[in-house]
Amino acid sequence: MKRSDIDPREKDKRTKIMGDNFQNVGEQVDEFQQNEGLMQTGAEDAQGHPVQEIESMCMNCHENGTTRMLLTKIPYFREIIVMSFECPHCGFKNSEIQPAAQIAEKGSRYLLKIENKEDFSRQVVKSETATCKFAELDIEIPPKRGQLTNVEGLLTEMIDDLESDQPARKEAQPEVYEKIAEIIAKVRAYINGEPGTLPLTFTVDDPSGNSWIEYVPDEPSHKWSMYEYNRTAEQNVFLGLISADEVAQHRLKEASAKKEATKSNVSSNLKEDETRPGDASDIENLANEVQTFHATCSSCFKPCETHMKTVNIPHFKDVIIMSTVCDNCGFRSNEVKTGGEIPSHGRKVTLKVTDPEDLARDILKSETCGLVIPELNLDLTPGTLGGRFTTIEGLLTQVYEELHGRVFTQTSDSMDDATKTRWTTFFARLQDAIDGKIGFTIVMVDPLAASYIQNVYAPDNDPNMTIEEFERTHEQNEDLGLNDIKTD
C-alpha cells in the first residue's frame, strides 16, 4: 500500500496511539532528571539546548566524577548526545557521542575531497561503529568510541597516540621508530597544506548510518558525496541486529536451495530429454523431440546430419540448440540460436561467483555477446566460441581447452620465458576458477540481449547478479545490420 493510499482518519488514529505509547526525547529527559538526579548546569548550546550533569563512577580510580550531557541537533544531520566525563580525584577525562536515533535502515558512506587547509576544519560525527580512511595517506581508523570532532582533530588524535609510545620504540625497535616518525611527519605536512600534498580523500563508512561529514551548501559536487548501501550479514552481526548462528543457518539454507536449483537446471537435463522417447503422433511432444535433417559438412563437403532441439529456458526465452556431426571426417560443431524479435535495448549481465555451487549455473553466451572476467584477465570478444549453452564451469573448461590446445601448445616452443610464464600463470588461475578455489566476476555484454545466466533465486532477484539495459550505439547497430532494416 502506498503512503498516499492511507485514510487520513486512520493516520490520525495511528498517530494518537503512538502518542499514547511513546514519549518524545524531551519528556524522557525530564523523567530521567526527576528520577536519577540529573541537574541543570545553566549552560546552553547555540540552539538553546541545556547542558546537564550527573554524578557517575570513574572507571580509572573508582571514585565519583561528573558526566555532562548535551542533547543537540547538527544541521543537515540529526540529533546526537554529547557526553563529557571528568574525575576531580585522578584527573581522568573522557568524551564521546551517542546517536539519539535508532540504527538506520541502511549503512552510509561519506566522502570528502580535502583541497585546502580550511577543509580540515569540517565537522565530523564518528559513531562507535564507523571506519575512517585517508586514501592518499593509506591510513585507516577502525571503529572505536564515538566522537564529535573535525578532520584535523581525527588526524591530530592519531598523531598523539603514535607519539605517546615513540620514546619506548626508539629504545626497543629503532627501525619501527623511524618508520612511524616518517608517517607522523607526512601527516603533519598534509595538515599544514604543504605544496604537493593536497588533495586528500577522506571517507567515513558507518554500517549503522549514524555518522556524518559536514556539508557546505553550493560547493562543487565532487567535494562532498554521500551514499547509502544495504548492510551485509556480517555488518548486521557486528551491530547486534542478528546473531552469527542466524547467519550460518541462513547461509546453509541458501546453499541448499542453490544446490537444488542447479541440479534441476536446463543444461543438466538436456541429455535425458534427448534420449527420452517421444510420440511422433502427439503434436504436444513436438517441442520435446530432437529434430534431425540432412546437411553438408563444412569441412569435407560430404553429407551429414544436423540435430536440432528447442529448449525453453525459464525466466528467459526459447532457444534452438543445433549440433552437427560428420561420420566421414569426424567434424563436430554446435551452436545456439535465440528466437523472437530483436529487442530495442542491449543487456549487460554481471554475476559475482562466490561459491563453488555457482559454477553449476546455466549460462547462454550468444554469438553477439562479449564476456569479460577481470580477475582472470580473460576477455572474449563477440563471436569467440560462437553461441554456447552450458554451465559456467563448462564454459570456462571450453575456454581452457581452446586456448591451451590451439594457442599455447602450438606456439609455446617459440615463446620467450616471460611470455610462457604469463601463459602458465593464466592457466593456473583459470584452473583454480574451474575448481571453485577462487571467486571471480563474469560480465556479459550483449547488444541483442540474447545471453543469459541462471538466477537460482528466481523469481526473486539474485543478490550477486545485476542486469542492466543499455542503448545500442550506431556502430553496434551497423555491425548487426540493423541500420539497413526497413520496416515500412
Side-chain angles (χ1 to χ4, degrees), residues 58-83:
C58 175
M59 301 306 296
N60 187 43
C61 67
H62 304 292
E63 297 288 341
N64 284 341
T66 302
T67 297
R68 292 179 175 84
M69 296 185 294
L70 169 65
L71 176 65
T72 186
K73 179 171 181 174
I74 297 178
Y76 306 105
F77 187 49
R78 65 184 67 174
E79 295 85 359
I80 63 169
I81 301 173
V82 183
M83 293 182 290

Side-chain angles (χ1 to χ4, degrees), residues 423-436:
W423 273 107
T424 304
T425 304
F426 168 77
F427 285 123
R429 292 276 296 171
L430 184 55
Q431 188 61 53
D432 285 343
I434 294 172
D435 295 338

Side-chain angles (χ1 to χ4, degrees), residues 9 12 25 42 56 91 149 167 182 189 200 222 309 361 376 393 441 452 465:
R9 291 172 296 179
D12 293 341
V25 175
S56 53
T149 180
E182 291 176 5
L200 175 64
H222 73 277
K309 178 177 174 58
R361 294 192 191 211
L376 304 179
E393 180 183 0
T441 306
Y452 154 90
M465 185 191 301

Side-chain angles (χ1 to χ4, degrees), residues 9 61 69 79 93 98 125 130 147 176-177 185 246 254 260 278 312 323 336 343 357 380 402 414 463 487:
R9 291 172 296 179
C61 67
M69 296 185 294
E79 295 85 359
K93 295 182 179 181
Q98 292 288 339
V125 174
Q147 292 175 276
V176 177
Y177 168 82
E246 289 175 328
E254 187 179 82
E260 289 298 321
N312 175 261
S323 174
V336 180
E357 290 293 337
L380 301 181
E402 290 283 333
S414 60
T487 57

Side-chain angles (χ1 to χ4, degrees), residues 66 85 141 181 192 195 204 237 242 304 349-350 431 436 468 472:
T66 302
F85 175 81
I141 302 175
N192 295 329
V204 177
V237 172
I242 56 177
C304 64
V349 182
T350 304
Q431 188 61 53
E468 307 168 63
R472 285 189 293 267

Side-chain angles (χ1 to χ4, degrees), residues 265-453:
N265 60 16
V266 177
S267 59
S268 63
N269 295 324
L270 272 179
K271 291 184 179 180
E272 297 179 10
D273 293 342
E274 291 174 5
T275 57
R276 187 177 300 144
D279 184 359
S281 63
D282 188 354
I283 194 169
E284 292 182 358
N285 288 332
L286 186 62
N288 296 324
E289 292 181 353
V290 177
Q291 308 296 319
T292 302
F293 57 90
H294 297 287
T296 302
C297 175
S298 60
S299 179
C300 66
F301 303 105
K302 297 288 185 179
C304 64
E305 290 184 342
T306 294
H307 305 285
M308 183 178 70
K309 178 177 174 58
T310 302
V311 178
N312 175 261
I313 300 180
H315 308 288
F316 186 53
K317 60 175 73 174
D318 287 341
V319 298
I320 301 171
I321 299 178
M322 305 177 66
S323 174
T324 301
V325 178
C326 179
D327 296 330
N328 182 60
C329 66
F331 173 77
R332 294 169 177 267
S333 72
N334 58 77
E335 58 182 324
V336 180
K337 301 289 186 181
T338 56
E341 62 180 3
I342 295 175
S344 58
H345 292 81
R347 180 177 295 169
K348 177 181 178 182
V349 182
T350 304
L351 173 69
K352 292 183 179 179
V353 178
T354 58
D355 190 293
E357 290 293 337
D358 290 327
L359 296 172
R361 294 192 191 211
D362 280 336
I363 183 170
L364 170 62
K365 177 195 168 299
S366 75
E367 291 181 340
T368 58
C369 175
L371 185 145
V372 177
I373 302 180
E375 294 84 354
L376 304 179
N377 293 322
L378 177 64
D379 189 348
L380 301 181
T381 57
T384 306
L385 296 180
R388 286 289 186 272
F389 181 52
T390 177
T391 61
I392 294 177
E393 180 183 0
L395 183 65
L396 293 180
T397 302
Q398 289 178 4
V399 171
Y400 186 100
E401 293 173 350
E402 290 283 333
L403 291 178
H404 195 277
R406 298 192 180 186
V407 179
F408 182 74
T409 303
Q410 300 294 331
T411 60
S412 59
D413 292 340
S414 60
M415 290 181 184
D416 57 69
D417 292 339
T419 303
K420 187 177 291 187
T421 300
R422 286 199 299 270
W423 273 107
T424 304
T425 304
F426 168 77
F427 285 123
R429 292 276 296 171
L430 184 55
Q431 188 61 53
D432 285 343
I434 294 172
D435 295 338
K437 296 179 180 178
I438 59 174
F440 54 92
T441 306
I442 296 178
V443 182
M444 298 171 59
V445 180
D446 191 344
L448 287 183
S451 297
Y452 154 90
I453 299 178

Side-chain angles (χ1 to χ4, degrees), residues 70-291:
L70 169 65
L71 176 65
T72 186
K73 179 171 181 174
I74 297 178
Y76 306 105
F77 187 49
R78 65 184 67 174
E79 295 85 359
I80 63 169
I81 301 173
V82 183
M83 293 182 290
S84 174
F85 175 81
E86 182 175 1
C87 178
H89 302 282
C90 66
F92 176 74
K93 295 182 179 181
N94 185 31
S95 62
E96 62 178 296
I97 69 160
Q98 292 288 339
Q102 62 183 0
I103 293 175
E105 183 179 348
K106 295 183 177 181
S108 60
R109 183 183 299 110
Y110 290 85
L111 183 146
L112 174 66
K113 279 285 186 181
I114 302 172
E115 298 178 331
N116 51 61
K117 198 172 184 304
E118 288 72 25
D119 288 336
F120 283 100
S121 301
R122 291 287 186 102
Q123 198 173 39
V124 177
V125 174
K126 176 184 172 298
S127 80
E128 58 186 9
T129 59
T131 301
C132 298
K133 293 182 181 179
F134 295 89
E136 289 76 7
L137 290 171
D138 197 21
I139 289 175
E140 178 176 317
I141 302 175
K144 53 180 182 179
R145 63 185 178 85
Q147 292 175 276
L148 174 59
T149 180
N150 56 25
V151 181
E152 183 178 353
L154 286 172
L155 290 174
T156 303
E157 182 183 27
M158 185 197 67
I159 290 175
D160 292 341
D161 290 343
L162 292 175
E163 285 183 335
S164 62
D165 296 328
Q166 279 293 79
R169 289 195 194 99
K170 190 173 183 180
E171 297 295 330
Q173 299 173 298
E175 297 176 357
V176 177
Y177 168 82
E178 293 294 335
K179 291 182 178 180
I180 291 181
E182 291 176 5
I183 294 174
I184 292 174
K186 185 177 180 180
V187 173
R188 290 193 190 280
Y190 271 86
I191 293 176
N192 295 329
E194 294 181 8
T197 56
L198 301 179
L200 175 64
T201 305
F202 172 54
T203 58
V204 177
D205 191 333
D206 187 0
S208 72
N210 287 327
S211 294
W212 174 79
I213 298 177
E214 181 183 358
Y215 170 70
V216 176
D218 300 325
E219 68 180 353
S221 59
H222 73 277
K223 280 186 66 72
W224 185 97
S225 57
M226 181 263 193
Y227 310 91
E228 288 189 331
Y229 60 88
N230 293 319
R231 285 186 289 267
T232 63
E234 290 77 9
Q235 288 172 328
N236 283 326
V237 172
F238 172 66
L239 295 175
L241 299 178
I242 56 177
S243 68
D245 290 341
E246 289 175 328
V247 174
Q249 291 175 5
H250 175 73
R251 287 186 173 171
L252 189 62
K253 188 182 297 183
E254 187 179 82
S256 177
K258 185 184 291 185
K259 191 171 184 179
E260 289 298 321
T262 51
K263 274 184 178 179
S264 60
N265 60 16
V266 177
S267 59
S268 63
N269 295 324
L270 272 179
K271 291 184 179 180
E272 297 179 10
D273 293 342
E274 291 174 5
T275 57
R276 187 177 300 144
D279 184 359
S281 63
D282 188 354
I283 194 169
E284 292 182 358
N285 288 332
L286 186 62
N288 296 324
E289 292 181 353
V290 177
Q291 308 296 319

